Amino acid sequence: MSQTIAVLDFGSQYTQVIARRIRECNIYSKIFHYSTPVKELAKENLQGIILSGGPSSVLRKDAPLPDKKIFELGVPVLGICYGLQLMGKVLGGSVEKSERREYGRGTLTLKRKSPLLKDLPKQLKVWNSHGDKVTALPPGFKAIAATENSDYAVIEDAKRKFYGLQFHPEVVHSERGIEILKNFLVGVCKCKQDWKMSDYVDTVIKEIQEKVGDKRVILGLSGGVDSSVAAALIHKAIGSQLTCVFVDNGLLRLHERDRVEELFGDHFHIDLRTAKSGPRFLKALKGVTDPEKKRKIIGKVFIDVFDEEVKKIGDVDFLAQGTLYPDVIESVAIGGNPAALIKSHHNVGGLPKRMKLKLLEPLRELFKDEVRALGKALGLPDSMIWRHPFPGPGLGVRVLGEIKKSYLDILRQADHILLEEMKRTGYYGKVWQAFCVFLPVRTVGVMGDERTYDYVIGLRIVESLDAMTADWAHIPHSVLQIISNRIINEVKGVNRVVLDISSKPPSTIEWE
């Protein structure tokens, strides 16, 4: 059994980032609801516990609190942000509302040596996000480092191996944050850095087998990375008990259906059924302009189609989906945590409350880069693993406003040209995502000395590591010029191409 670092989730949107950073150190991590009883945690091969940040205040009467016996397990504990404040309050210190809140970059100054800050410089730039602060340390604790507004930005009880960080070492904005986490994991917890993705494959396969038993599973296969990896993983676990259904919803990229049928039906020999339902989706979406309503409608029709396919196939108990953590953390609170709603995703928000099938989501705790590593461990080809993300609602959220077949036809052609040129110039593999957006506005143009009044295509090309944050990619002007010229010259109905140069946050990667 792998050595495990338990991450107790108090509702921070960075909780999964913490777990991901731990895995990057080749150490197995597992997320638990903050209220998980100690007897449940004790069943794991625990080497340490990390208390996440969170949006609440420990000063509130209904503040989320863990089982206090976690401090009696005899394993090291690291509190981050809310986690530090919680330790301060629960273990006998004092926490108060700060006169000056700390958000964004700050300067951390080391005051004394600590195994947590081993081999680090005297000053570091760190990322803060808190409104409370510890004003009196619990018995046994000492202050290790301070920021401009907090004397207790890093604290430790060396005897019990309890540590606290007021800032967020897990985010890329915190200078050498990964080294701080590694000092805790390896230096304090004495973890062996021997966990790898193949171990995760074995773990998840066992979980799938235990959950499914001898039942049948149906999976919505889109041909994208997420559903493809999910299909390969589940097929490896239960073989012929899996049936994949490819729903042609009329919102797909050019030649998408042909590629999926060839790859999974002919090459991988997975039981694949194709549901040609494009007209049905477009009819349900007619006249709808609100992005959330579009997502919900697409999700509902998607499930309706599945219900019909289930009746054709026979007894099926599980619906499998390639839902990833970024889909979940931006949509609902996992396990009841207080994570904030940002927007619903097709895989999550579109599901009706009463669904006839049980859900199977084996990728639910992974980021996109981890899914790709999983796909590689499963032996999937690079051409599939490195495909750019494609949203569940497909082009339905890349046509702004009402969806019309004529708009989709224009967008498909433009998107095909963009991807073709990105691949030809070698930039496809250098960016996270590249796609076109159809803007339902018309602008004046001149073609062959004649006035035109046609539509606009937006180019969205971004760089990212995990889709939680993203920045627009600086593609050479010469490449953008070719893309723009080809789209305007080859796609009838377009006379203008624009480039989206906004970052996430404050924008999202998709436009809807």
Side-chain angles (χ1 to χ4, degrees):
M1 186 178 182
S2 298
Q3 294 179 325
T4 302
I5 295 293
V7 181
L8 297 195
D9 184 8
F10 291 88
S12 170
Q13 287 198 47
Y14 297 132
T15 298
Q16 186 67 12
V17 182
I18 298 171
R20 180 170 171 263
R21 295 288 180 257
I22 298 169
R23 294 176 196 167
E24 287 174 359
C25 296
N26 299 114
I27 297 165
Y28 183 63
S29 61
K30 192 171 181 179
I31 295 174
F32 295 87
H33 189 275
Y34 67 84
S35 63
T36 302
V38 160
K39 63 180 180 181
E40 291 297 319
L41 296 174
K43 294 177 183 178
E44 307 290 334
N45 186 20
L46 281 189
Q47 290 293 113
I49 296 173
I50 294 181
L51 311 177
S52 83
S56 187
S57 167
V58 296
L59 301 175
R60 288 174 47 175
K61 290 182 179 179
D62 60 348
L65 299 174
D67 184 336
K68 294 181 181 179
K69 291 182 180 178
I70 62 170
F71 299 109
E72 300 171 12
L73 278 172
V75 299
V77 179
L78 172 65
I80 296 176
C81 195
Y82 178 88
L84 172 142
Q85 296 157 14
L86 184 149
M87 290 173 71
K89 183 175 176 60
V90 170
L91 296 177
S94 298
V95 177
E96 296 178 8
K97 204 78 175 173
S98 297
E99 292 182 8
R100 294 180 61 186
R101 298 184 300 172
E102 284 189 294
Y103 290 101
R105 290 192 182 277
T107 300
L108 183 77
T109 302
L110 279 63
K111 301 297 185 182
R112 65 173 72 211
K113 290 184 178 181
S114 167
L116 197 63
L117 304 177
K118 182 183 177 183
D119 298 328
L120 294 177
K122 291 290 184 183
Q123 283 196 331
L124 293 169
K125 296 296 182 182
V126 296
W127 189 259
N128 295 299
S129 181
H130 60 93
D132 297 340
K133 68 177 182 179
V134 174
T135 54
L137 292 176
F141 278 82
K142 293 180 180 179
I144 302 301
T147 57
E148 298 91 330
N149 298 317
S150 176
D151 292 331
Y152 306 128
V154 181
I155 62 175
E156 77 167 15
D157 179 335
K159 185 176 181 180
R160 290 184 289 178
K161 296 184 179 179
F162 293 165
Y163 297 85
L165 301 172
Q166 185 60 83
F167 58 94
H168 289 271
E170 70 274 19
V171 300
V172 294
H173 310 292
S174 284
E175 192 177 13
R176 302 180 74 166
I178 190 69
E179 292 180 47
I180 296 173
L181 287 174
K182 191 177 289 186
N183 281 339
F184 175 73
L185 299 169
V186 180
V188 177
C189 298
K190 306 301 180 185
C191 289
K192 297 176 182 177
Q193 295 177 272
D194 57 0
W195 181 83
K196 49 190 181 297
M197 185 53 75
S198 57
D199 296 332
Y200 186 78
V201 172
D202 294 339
T203 300
V204 176
I205 283 176
K206 289 178 183 177
E207 290 177 356
I208 293 171
Q209 291 170 339
E210 289 175 2
K211 184 171 183 177
V212 173
D214 61 354
K215 305 298 183 182
R216 295 284 301 280
V217 177
I218 189 170
L219 180 143
L221 187 61
S222 69
V225 180
D226 307 339
S227 66
S228 298
V229 173
L233 180 64
I234 296 169
H235 188 255
K236 189 176 179 67
I238 60 173
S240 61
Q241 290 171 243
L242 170 68
T243 297
C244 290
V245 173
F246 177 72
V247 177
D248 184 349
N249 58 11
L251 307 171
L252 304 173
R253 290 169 289 197
L254 201 62
H255 308 310
E256 190 76 16
R257 187 174 76 199
D258 296 337
R259 292 195 187 100
V260 170
E261 290 178 337
E262 180 182 350
L263 184 60
F264 288 93
D266 300 339
H267 181 68
F268 286 110
H269 307 295
I270 291 176
D271 182 13
L272 176 64
R273 319 288 176 91
T274 300
K276 300 174 183 178
S277 308
R280 183 170 172 178
F281 279 83
L282 293 179
K283 182 180 179 180
L285 290 163
K286 186 175 181 179
V288 180
T289 58
D290 180 79
E292 289 297 296
K293 287 183 179 179
K294 287 199 292 187
R295 287 177 179 271
K296 291 290 194 293
I297 289 171
I298 293 169
K300 182 183 183 304
V301 177
F302 177 78
I303 296 301
D304 289 343
V305 170
F306 258 82
D307 281 343
E308 293 167 12
E309 291 300 320
V310 169
K311 292 174 184 176
K312 295 177 186 177
I313 295 167
D315 293 332
V316 175
D317 293 88
F318 289 90
L319 168 64
Q321 295 190 144
T323 309
L324 303 192
Y325 188 76
D327 298 335
V328 178
I329 195 62
E330 290 187 352
S331 303
V332 296
I334 292 183
N337 75 19
L341 171 71
I342 294 179
K343 71 167 183 265
S344 69
H345 283 256
H346 166 55
N347 283 353
V348 183
L351 298 178
K353 291 180 180 178
R354 292 187 179 181
M355 199 175 66
K356 297 178 181 178
L357 304 175
K358 300 172 186 175
L359 272 181
L360 181 65
E361 297 174 311
L363 311 181
R364 192 179 176 89
E365 294 184 358
L366 300 180
F367 279 100
K368 181 72 74 172
D369 59 326
E370 293 179 315
V371 171
R372 288 184 169 130
L374 177 57
K376 196 167 187 66
L378 289 166
L380 297 178
D382 286 347
S383 59
M384 178 197 300
I385 293 170
W386 293 102
R387 290 191 71 182
H388 287 181
F390 190 61
L395 301 182
V397 291
R398 292 179 181 174
V399 170
L400 302 196
E402 184 180 3
I403 300 170
K404 298 181 181 179
K405 186 179 183 301
S406 59
Y407 293 173
L408 290 168
D409 290 339
I410 290 173
L411 180 56
R412 281 192 191 95
Q413 295 175 59
D415 196 67
H416 182 70
I417 290 170
L418 168 63
L419 297 183
E420 197 171 67
E421 288 300 326
M422 290 291 288
K423 291 174 182 177
R424 184 185 67 81
T425 56
Y427 283 96
Y428 182 87
K430 296 178 181 179
V431 302
W432 176 267
Q433 204 168 353
F435 59 89
C436 290
V437 179
F438 179 89
L439 307 183
V441 293
R442 301 181 113 175
T443 68
V444 174
V446 177
M447 290 183 179
D449 295 327
E450 292 186 4
R451 179 182 183 276
T452 62
Y453 193 53
D454 286 327
Y455 294 105
V456 180
I457 289 291
L459 305 181
R460 183 63 161 150
I461 309 171
V462 300
E463 297 173 338
S464 179
L465 292 175
D466 51 25
M468 297 297 281
T469 60
D471 201 2
W472 61 283
H474 293 248
I475 304 299
H477 292 174
S478 58
V479 176
L480 294 174
Q481 184 178 36
I482 292 172
I483 294 168
S484 176
N485 286 345
R486 281 197 61 191
I487 290 174
I488 291 172
N489 288 324
E490 298 176 30
V491 183
K492 188 175 180 180
V494 177
N495 69 357
R496 194 176 299 271
V497 174
V498 297
L499 179 66
D500 182 346
I501 58 170
S502 50
S503 301
K504 176 185 179 179
S507 302
T508 54
I509 295 177
E510 297 287 346
W511 278 40
E512 287 194 341

